[in-house]
Amino acid sequence: MDNEFKINYLLNILKTTPKVVSDRIIKDQTRLNFRKDYYDLKESIDNFLEHDTDDRFYILPGLRGVGKTTIVFQLYDYLTNERNINSNHILYLDLDRLKDQGPFNLLEYLDIFIKDINEEAYLNNWPLFIFIDESQYSSNWDHVGKIIFDDYKNVFIIFTGSDALNLQSSMDSARRSLKKEIYPLNFAEYLYLKYGCEIPRGISDSIFNAILFNDFENLIKDERYIQLNVYNKFKRDINKIWDEYIQYGGFPLSFARKNHASIIQLGLDMKNRIVEKDLDIVLSVNSQTRLNTYSLINILALQKPGTLSYNKLAKNLEISKKTVGNLLNALECTQMIFHIEPHGAITKRNRRPWKYYFLSSQMKAAIYQNSGQATKTKGEYMGILTENLVGSLLFMMKNKRKQDFGIFYEEEKERADFLINTIDGRIIPIEAGYGKKGKRQVINSMEDHGSEYGIVVSNKTQSIKIEENVIFLPLKTFSML
């Protein structure tokens, strides 16, 4: 493609982006609410505009549908409408669309945007902004980001894409960039984004301190505030709203869907896009491998939480154990799933089977319901989703906070679902359940490990209850982690 085509392509993008952004972030003449991730990035943009800072190269990986593009569009809107940045100084480039034009050199497009289309800004060192979406479709996006960062001090750049961006990052880009994972919504974000409910900003910190340090004072205050000022304002039963959240509320894109069938289809579509597009980035995939991947995902979604036998999976799928391992690893790289290892010495963890969970309970629910399995009994179905949700929130807590603790499971029966192993050697058992849930499993794990306290996360109670050394934490409260 010659330079004239590239210039015209970029000029057309600059012309059409304002309407694309408006259509995406304004619904019924009201702008969408903001996630905390937006405010974090906005603060970095403000620092870039007002101070001399090197925090101007960001990578936003994450599962499809979690709202990365919406955050970028909200930043675009902030720049144009509140910071009065000329829209021609902001490039939003979707590489999923650009790749349809044929092979492309990303650096050439960005050089043209900076030095040709915005020559005056380039010469005068005026701020420019580049937002690259679906970055995984450029094999050298990280190298391009490094060059832009090094050569153009007046450019603030964000790359978003699937979690495969983590694999493509080089040491050079890692030294220069800041990574911010974007995750499925917790219950607090769901209530705020969908219903405009004001949730105490420190709620996640309160839950974290309660779990890790047995400090429940602030959490009890936050929970009481939410019950009085949020839950009581709903005409509907808040428990039913939570039931909808765990099944249909993990992805902001779901909010625009009018019925559950449409939301289920959205979850299935995202699953299919991961298999059809993202998988190719981390694994050599042929048609048979892709079919095996679909079968494996269904097995993961339909089973009760538990360990997976590679031998059994290999036999059922008629593939080798090595291929099973490669597929599971690839799905983890896309962040569709994650694993939890058995508690014990590292040699034991490497020998024993792992438990696998979906990062989004919504995606698991979509596959589960599409198979007709969800009609068996509500208790069993919701119990499966609840354990998945608790596991995923703990996993996200660890990654978002960059905390040095482990999440494990116990192989012995009648034990807690999860064990938190802190850096100072404390073991915190956590049991997850829906419906009537006792404390026997947690007590057994506490006795095994000499734990000072344990936690039962369930809908058995509507408020935090403490019985001796066992804390009953309501699902609604824990889901705001």
Side-chain angles (χ1 to χ4, degrees), residues 50-83:
E50 299 164 10
H51 308 287
D52 184 15
T53 175
D54 274 343
D55 292 347
R56 50 187 172 81
F57 177 9
Y58 278 84
I59 302 171
L60 272 59
L63 190 64
R64 286 186 178 275
V66 294
K68 301 182 295 292
T69 302
T70 298
I71 292 172
V72 166
F73 284 168
Q74 288 174 323
L75 293 171
Y76 180 102
D77 182 67
Y78 169 71
L79 287 168
T80 55
N81 288 310
E82 295 189 42
R83 298 306 302 243

mmCIF file of all heavy atoms in Angstrom, residues 50-83:
data_model
loop_
_atom_site.group_PDB
_atom_site.id
_atom_site.type_symbol
_atom_site.label_atom_id
_atom_site.label_comp_id
_atom_site.label_asym_id
_atom_site.label_seq_id
_atom_site.Cartn_x
_atom_site.Cartn_y
_atom_site.Cartn_z
ATOM 1 N N GLU A 50 0.157 17.901 31.906
ATOM 2 C CA GLU A 50 0.512 18.985 32.824
ATOM 3 C C GLU A 50 1.934 18.901 33.361
ATOM 4 O O GLU A 50 2.453 19.899 33.872
ATOM 5 C CB GLU A 50 -0.476 18.991 33.997
ATOM 6 C CG GLU A 50 -1.925 19.235 33.567
ATOM 7 C CD GLU A 50 -2.934 18.865 34.644
ATOM 8 O OE1 GLU A 50 -2.495 18.604 35.792
ATOM 9 O OE2 GLU A 50 -4.140 18.833 34.341
ATOM 10 N N HIS A 51 2.550 17.738 33.251
ATOM 11 C CA HIS A 51 3.885 17.576 33.823
ATOM 12 C C HIS A 51 4.764 16.786 32.849
ATOM 13 O O HIS A 51 4.290 16.169 31.897
ATOM 14 C CB HIS A 51 3.820 16.833 35.167
ATOM 15 C CG HIS A 51 2.843 17.431 36.135
ATOM 16 N ND1 HIS A 51 3.056 18.615 36.792
ATOM 17 C CD2 HIS A 51 1.618 16.993 36.539
ATOM 18 C CE1 HIS A 51 2.027 18.894 37.564
ATOM 19 N NE2 HIS A 51 1.136 17.925 37.436
ATOM 20 N N ASP A 52 6.027 16.765 33.111
ATOM 21 C CA ASP A 52 6.971 15.970 32.327
ATOM 22 C C ASP A 52 7.016 14.566 32.929
ATOM 23 O O ASP A 52 7.607 14.350 33.990
ATOM 24 C CB ASP A 52 8.355 16.621 32.371
ATOM 25 C CG ASP A 52 9.361 15.878 31.493
ATOM 26 O OD1 ASP A 52 8.909 15.072 30.654
ATOM 27 O OD2 ASP A 52 10.568 16.101 31.649
ATOM 28 N N THR A 53 6.392 13.619 32.274
ATOM 29 C CA THR A 53 6.312 12.260 32.820
ATOM 30 C C THR A 53 6.580 11.232 31.737
ATOM 31 O O THR A 53 6.263 11.451 30.556
ATOM 32 C CB THR A 53 4.925 11.998 33.437
ATOM 33 O OG1 THR A 53 4.835 10.632 33.853
ATOM 34 C CG2 THR A 53 3.816 12.276 32.432
ATOM 35 N N ASP A 54 7.145 10.116 32.146
ATOM 36 C CA ASP A 54 7.391 9.015 31.213
ATOM 37 C C ASP A 54 6.289 7.961 31.278
ATOM 38 O O ASP A 54 6.370 6.927 30.613
ATOM 39 C CB ASP A 54 8.737 8.353 31.505
ATOM 40 C CG ASP A 54 9.891 9.070 30.808
ATOM 41 O OD1 ASP A 54 9.624 9.847 29.868
ATOM 42 O OD2 ASP A 54 11.047 8.870 31.213
ATOM 43 N N ASP A 55 5.266 8.194 32.077
ATOM 44 C CA ASP A 55 4.131 7.264 32.139
ATOM 45 C C ASP A 55 3.182 7.556 30.983
ATOM 46 O O ASP A 55 2.087 8.098 31.153
ATOM 47 C CB ASP A 55 3.404 7.405 33.483
ATOM 48 C CG ASP A 55 4.243 6.928 34.645
ATOM 49 O OD1 ASP A 55 5.278 6.274 34.394
ATOM 50 O OD2 ASP A 55 3.879 7.219 35.801
ATOM 51 N N ARG A 56 3.619 7.187 29.768
ATOM 52 C CA ARG A 56 2.848 7.522 28.567
ATOM 53 C C ARG A 56 2.783 6.370 27.565
ATOM 54 O O ARG A 56 2.473 6.562 26.398
ATOM 55 C CB ARG A 56 3.439 8.766 27.893
ATOM 56 C CG ARG A 56 4.946 8.700 27.683
ATOM 57 C CD ARG A 56 5.517 10.018 27.169
ATOM 58 N NE ARG A 56 6.966 9.982 27.149
ATOM 59 C CZ ARG A 56 7.698 9.427 26.188
ATOM 60 N NH1 ARG A 56 7.101 8.872 25.145
ATOM 61 N NH2 ARG A 56 9.016 9.440 26.250
ATOM 62 N N PHE A 57 3.055 5.170 28.047
ATOM 63 C CA PHE A 57 2.987 3.974 27.196
ATOM 64 C C PHE A 57 2.286 2.894 28.012
ATOM 65 O O PHE A 57 2.873 2.314 28.923
ATOM 66 C CB PHE A 57 4.403 3.565 26.792
ATOM 67 C CG PHE A 57 4.503 2.302 25.958
ATOM 68 C CD1 PHE A 57 3.380 1.666 25.418
ATOM 69 C CD2 PHE A 57 5.740 1.746 25.696
ATOM 70 C CE1 PHE A 57 3.491 0.515 24.670
ATOM 71 C CE2 PHE A 57 5.868 0.584 24.935
ATOM 72 C CZ PHE A 57 4.734 -0.028 24.438
ATOM 73 N N TYR A 58 1.024 2.632 27.676
ATOM 74 C CA TYR A 58 0.207 1.689 28.449
ATOM 75 C C TYR A 58 -0.221 0.502 27.587
ATOM 76 O O TYR A 58 -0.503 0.656 26.391
ATOM 77 C CB TYR A 58 -1.047 2.380 28.996
ATOM 78 C CG TYR A 58 -0.787 3.152 30.274
ATOM 79 C CD1 TYR A 58 -0.286 4.443 30.219
ATOM 80 C CD2 TYR A 58 -1.011 2.575 31.519
ATOM 81 C CE1 TYR A 58 -0.027 5.150 31.385
ATOM 82 C CE2 TYR A 58 -0.761 3.281 32.691
ATOM 83 C CZ TYR A 58 -0.274 4.563 32.614
ATOM 84 O OH TYR A 58 -0.018 5.267 33.773
ATOM 85 N N ILE A 59 -0.285 -0.660 28.234
ATOM 86 C CA ILE A 59 -0.783 -1.879 27.599
ATOM 87 C C ILE A 59 -1.997 -2.338 28.401
ATOM 88 O O ILE A 59 -1.920 -2.504 29.614
ATOM 89 C CB ILE A 59 0.287 -2.980 27.594
ATOM 90 C CG1 ILE A 59 1.547 -2.502 26.867
ATOM 91 C CG2 ILE A 59 -0.255 -4.253 26.940
ATOM 92 C CD1 ILE A 59 2.729 -3.456 27.007
ATOM 93 N N LEU A 60 -3.125 -2.530 27.704
ATOM 94 C CA LEU A 60 -4.370 -2.952 28.350
ATOM 95 C C LEU A 60 -4.800 -4.305 27.784
ATOM 96 O O LEU A 60 -5.592 -4.377 26.834
ATOM 97 C CB LEU A 60 -5.486 -1.934 28.108
ATOM 98 C CG LEU A 60 -5.638 -0.758 29.076
ATOM 99 C CD1 LEU A 60 -4.365 0.077 29.129
ATOM 100 C CD2 LEU A 60 -6.814 0.118 28.668
ATOM 101 N N PRO A 61 -4.267 -5.410 28.318
ATOM 102 C CA PRO A 61 -4.740 -6.727 27.870
ATOM 103 C C PRO A 61 -5.978 -7.137 28.653
ATOM 104 O O PRO A 61 -6.272 -6.595 29.726
ATOM 105 C CB PRO A 61 -3.556 -7.643 28.196
ATOM 106 C CG PRO A 61 -2.881 -6.986 29.346
ATOM 107 C CD PRO A 61 -3.167 -5.512 29.278
ATOM 108 N N GLY A 62 -6.714 -8.094 28.122
ATOM 109 C CA GLY A 62 -7.877 -8.585 28.838
ATOM 110 C C GLY A 62 -8.768 -9.438 27.961
ATOM 111 O O GLY A 62 -8.694 -9.400 26.728
ATOM 112 N N LEU A 63 -9.626 -10.192 28.610
ATOM 113 C CA LEU A 63 -10.581 -11.056 27.925
ATOM 114 C C LEU A 63 -11.484 -10.225 27.018
ATOM 115 O O LEU A 63 -11.802 -9.077 27.323
ATOM 116 C CB LEU A 63 -11.419 -11.781 28.977
ATOM 117 C CG LEU A 63 -12.343 -12.914 28.532
ATOM 118 C CD1 LEU A 63 -11.550 -14.078 27.968
ATOM 119 C CD2 LEU A 63 -13.179 -13.377 29.730
ATOM 120 N N ARG A 64 -11.907 -10.813 25.921
ATOM 121 C CA ARG A 64 -12.834 -10.102 25.033
ATOM 122 C C ARG A 64 -14.105 -9.719 25.780
ATOM 123 O O ARG A 64 -14.616 -10.470 26.588
ATOM 124 C CB ARG A 64 -13.198 -10.982 23.836
ATOM 125 C CG ARG A 64 -12.080 -11.107 22.814
ATOM 126 C CD ARG A 64 -12.550 -11.858 21.589
ATOM 127 N NE ARG A 64 -11.499 -11.951 20.586
ATOM 128 C CZ ARG A 64 -11.238 -11.006 19.683
ATOM 129 N NH1 ARG A 64 -11.960 -9.912 19.672
ATOM 130 N NH2 ARG A 64 -10.270 -11.176 18.812
ATOM 131 N N GLY A 65 -14.604 -8.523 25.484
ATOM 132 C CA GLY A 65 -15.888 -8.099 26.020
ATOM 133 C C GLY A 65 -15.846 -7.436 27.381
ATOM 134 O O GLY A 65 -16.896 -7.043 27.909
ATOM 135 N N VAL A 66 -14.647 -7.282 27.986
ATOM 136 C CA VAL A 66 -14.599 -6.728 29.342
ATOM 137 C C VAL A 66 -14.675 -5.204 29.365
ATOM 138 O O VAL A 66 -14.749 -4.608 30.433
ATOM 139 C CB VAL A 66 -13.338 -7.186 30.101
ATOM 140 C CG1 VAL A 66 -13.369 -8.679 30.362
ATOM 141 C CG2 VAL A 66 -12.076 -6.790 29.349
ATOM 142 N N GLY A 67 -14.635 -4.549 28.189
ATOM 143 C CA GLY A 67 -14.833 -3.106 28.146
ATOM 144 C C GLY A 67 -13.600 -2.282 27.862
ATOM 145 O O GLY A 67 -13.587 -1.074 28.121
ATOM 146 N N LYS A 68 -12.562 -2.872 27.292
ATOM 147 C CA LYS A 68 -11.330 -2.128 27.005
ATOM 148 C C LYS A 68 -11.586 -0.986 26.015
ATOM 149 O O LYS A 68 -11.133 0.136 26.216
ATOM 150 C CB LYS A 68 -10.265 -3.082 26.453
ATOM 151 C CG LYS A 68 -9.909 -4.233 27.381
ATOM 152 C CD LYS A 68 -8.821 -5.101 26.807
ATOM 153 C CE LYS A 68 -9.231 -5.833 25.537
ATOM 154 N NZ LYS A 68 -10.260 -6.856 25.769
ATOM 155 N N THR A 69 -12.310 -1.296 24.949
ATOM 156 C CA THR A 69 -12.575 -0.285 23.926
ATOM 157 C C THR A 69 -13.419 0.852 24.487
ATOM 158 O O THR A 69 -13.182 2.030 24.180
ATOM 159 C CB THR A 69 -13.281 -0.913 22.716
ATOM 160 O OG1 THR A 69 -12.467 -1.968 22.188
ATOM 161 C CG2 THR A 69 -13.511 0.118 21.620
ATOM 162 N N THR A 70 -14.401 0.533 25.314
ATOM 163 C CA THR A 70 -15.230 1.574 25.911
ATOM 164 C C THR A 70 -14.390 2.526 26.747
ATOM 165 O O THR A 70 -14.576 3.754 26.702
ATOM 166 C CB THR A 70 -16.336 0.945 26.786
ATOM 167 O OG1 THR A 70 -17.180 0.140 25.956
ATOM 168 C CG2 THR A 70 -17.175 2.027 27.452
ATOM 169 N N ILE A 71 -13.453 1.999 27.522
ATOM 170 C CA ILE A 71 -12.568 2.848 28.327
ATOM 171 C C ILE A 71 -11.773 3.779 27.427
ATOM 172 O O ILE A 71 -11.645 4.985 27.700
ATOM 173 C CB ILE A 71 -11.632 1.984 29.188
ATOM 174 C CG1 ILE A 71 -12.435 1.253 30.269
ATOM 175 C CG2 ILE A 71 -10.539 2.839 29.835
ATOM 176 C CD1 ILE A 71 -11.637 0.223 31.040
ATOM 177 N N VAL A 72 -11.243 3.253 26.325
ATOM 178 C CA VAL A 72 -10.482 4.082 25.389
ATOM 179 C C VAL A 72 -11.366 5.168 24.791
ATOM 180 O O VAL A 72 -10.961 6.338 24.679
ATOM 181 C CB VAL A 72 -9.867 3.193 24.284
ATOM 182 C CG1 VAL A 72 -9.378 4.034 23.119
ATOM 183 C CG2 VAL A 72 -8.718 2.360 24.849
ATOM 184 N N PHE A 73 -12.588 4.820 24.409
ATOM 185 C CA PHE A 73 -13.504 5.814 23.851
ATOM 186 C C PHE A 73 -13.859 6.886 24.884
ATOM 187 O O PHE A 73 -14.020 8.066 24.539
ATOM 188 C CB PHE A 73 -14.769 5.135 23.341
ATOM 189 C CG PHE A 73 -14.597 4.419 22.028
ATOM 190 C CD1 PHE A 73 -15.576 3.561 21.559
ATOM 191 C CD2 PHE A 73 -13.464 4.591 21.258
ATOM 192 C CE1 PHE A 73 -15.443 2.904 20.343
ATOM 193 C CE2 PHE A 73 -13.301 3.934 20.052
ATOM 194 C CZ PHE A 73 -14.288 3.088 19.593
ATOM 195 N N GLN A 74 -13.995 6.500 26.137
ATOM 196 C CA GLN A 74 -14.275 7.491 27.182
ATOM 197 C C GLN A 74 -13.088 8.427 27.381
ATOM 198 O O GLN A 74 -13.273 9.621 27.645
ATOM 199 C CB GLN A 74 -14.632 6.776 28.486
ATOM 200 C CG GLN A 74 -16.005 6.113 28.453
ATOM 201 C CD GLN A 74 -16.294 5.290 29.696
ATOM 202 O OE1 GLN A 74 -15.399 4.643 30.247
ATOM 203 N NE2 GLN A 74 -17.541 5.299 30.139
ATOM 204 N N LEU A 75 -11.872 7.912 27.243
ATOM 205 C CA LEU A 75 -10.688 8.763 27.306
ATOM 206 C C LEU A 75 -10.650 9.722 26.119
ATOM 207 O O LEU A 75 -10.293 10.904 26.264
ATOM 208 C CB LEU A 75 -9.429 7.900 27.342
ATOM 209 C CG LEU A 75 -9.220 7.058 28.602
ATOM 210 C CD1 LEU A 75 -8.055 6.090 28.420
ATOM 211 C CD2 LEU A 75 -8.982 7.945 29.824
ATOM 212 N N TYR A 76 -11.021 9.230 24.956
ATOM 213 C CA TYR A 76 -11.103 10.080 23.756
ATOM 214 C C TYR A 76 -12.093 11.208 24.001
ATOM 215 O O TYR A 76 -11.818 12.391 23.708
ATOM 216 C CB TYR A 76 -11.539 9.220 22.566
ATOM 217 C CG TYR A 76 -11.670 9.961 21.255
ATOM 218 C CD1 TYR A 76 -10.677 9.864 20.268
ATOM 219 C CD2 TYR A 76 -12.782 10.743 20.969
ATOM 220 C CE1 TYR A 76 -10.803 10.531 19.062
ATOM 221 C CE2 TYR A 76 -12.917 11.412 19.771
ATOM 222 C CZ TYR A 76 -11.930 11.313 18.817
ATOM 223 O OH TYR A 76 -12.059 11.969 17.619
ATOM 224 N N ASP A 77 -13.261 10.874 24.541
ATOM 225 C CA ASP A 77 -14.290 11.865 24.822
ATOM 226 C C ASP A 77 -13.794 12.895 25.838
ATOM 227 O O ASP A 77 -14.053 14.102 25.702
ATOM 228 C CB ASP A 77 -15.539 11.158 25.339
ATOM 229 C CG ASP A 77 -16.683 12.109 25.624
ATOM 230 O OD1 ASP A 77 -17.222 12.705 24.667
ATOM 231 O OD2 ASP A 77 -17.052 12.261 26.810
ATOM 232 N N TYR A 78 -13.090 12.430 26.853
ATOM 233 C CA TYR A 78 -12.531 13.340 27.862
ATOM 234 C C TYR A 78 -11.539 14.303 27.225
ATOM 235 O O TYR A 78 -11.565 15.523 27.497
ATOM 236 C CB TYR A 78 -11.852 12.525 28.959
ATOM 237 C CG TYR A 78 -11.031 13.352 29.913
ATOM 238 C CD1 TYR A 78 -11.645 14.201 30.830
ATOM 239 C CD2 TYR A 78 -9.636 13.284 29.900
ATOM 240 C CE1 TYR A 78 -10.891 14.969 31.709
ATOM 241 C CE2 TYR A 78 -8.872 14.041 30.773
ATOM 242 C CZ TYR A 78 -9.502 14.889 31.678
ATOM 243 O OH TYR A 78 -8.753 15.650 32.534
ATOM 244 N N LEU A 79 -10.679 13.800 26.372
ATOM 245 C CA LEU A 79 -9.667 14.646 25.741
ATOM 246 C C LEU A 79 -10.297 15.722 24.861
ATOM 247 O O LEU A 79 -9.880 16.887 24.885
ATOM 248 C CB LEU A 79 -8.714 13.784 24.913
ATOM 249 C CG LEU A 79 -7.716 12.935 25.703
ATOM 250 C CD1 LEU A 79 -7.040 11.917 24.798
ATOM 251 C CD2 LEU A 79 -6.685 13.830 26.384
ATOM 252 N N THR A 80 -11.306 15.336 24.078
ATOM 253 C CA THR A 80 -11.894 16.291 23.138
ATOM 254 C C THR A 80 -12.845 17.272 23.816
ATOM 255 O O THR A 80 -12.877 18.454 23.470
ATOM 256 C CB THR A 80 -12.637 15.559 22.009
ATOM 257 O OG1 THR A 80 -13.601 14.658 22.573
ATOM 258 C CG2 THR A 80 -11.661 14.768 21.148
ATOM 259 N N ASN A 81 -13.617 16.798 24.794
ATOM 260 C CA ASN A 81 -14.670 17.638 25.367
ATOM 261 C C ASN A 81 -14.282 18.353 26.655
ATOM 262 O O ASN A 81 -14.888 19.373 26.989
ATOM 263 C CB ASN A 81 -15.922 16.795 25.614
ATOM 264 C CG ASN A 81 -16.619 16.413 24.323
ATOM 265 O OD1 ASN A 81 -16.875 17.267 23.477
ATOM 266 N ND2 ASN A 81 -16.907 15.144 24.164
ATOM 267 N N GLU A 82 -13.300 17.817 27.387
ATOM 268 C CA GLU A 82 -12.910 18.460 28.631
ATOM 269 C C GLU A 82 -11.498 19.057 28.572
ATOM 270 O O GLU A 82 -11.236 20.076 29.210
ATOM 271 C CB GLU A 82 -13.026 17.481 29.793
ATOM 272 C CG GLU A 82 -14.465 17.028 30.062
ATOM 273 C CD GLU A 82 -14.604 16.242 31.345
ATOM 274 O OE1 GLU A 82 -13.982 16.632 32.355
ATOM 275 O OE2 GLU A 82 -15.317 15.222 31.322
ATOM 276 N N ARG A 83 -10.612 18.418 27.836
ATOM 277 C CA ARG A 83 -9.252 18.961 27.717
ATOM 278 C C ARG A 83 -9.048 19.742 26.427
ATOM 279 O O ARG A 83 -7.966 20.266 26.178
ATOM 280 C CB ARG A 83 -8.219 17.834 27.827
ATOM 281 C CG ARG A 83 -8.205 17.069 29.133
ATOM 282 C CD ARG A 83 -8.054 17.971 30.356
ATOM 283 N NE ARG A 83 -6.846 18.772 30.323
ATOM 284 C CZ ARG A 83 -5.856 18.685 31.205
ATOM 285 N NH1 ARG A 83 -5.924 17.802 32.182
ATOM 286 N NH2 ARG A 83 -4.800 19.468 31.127
#
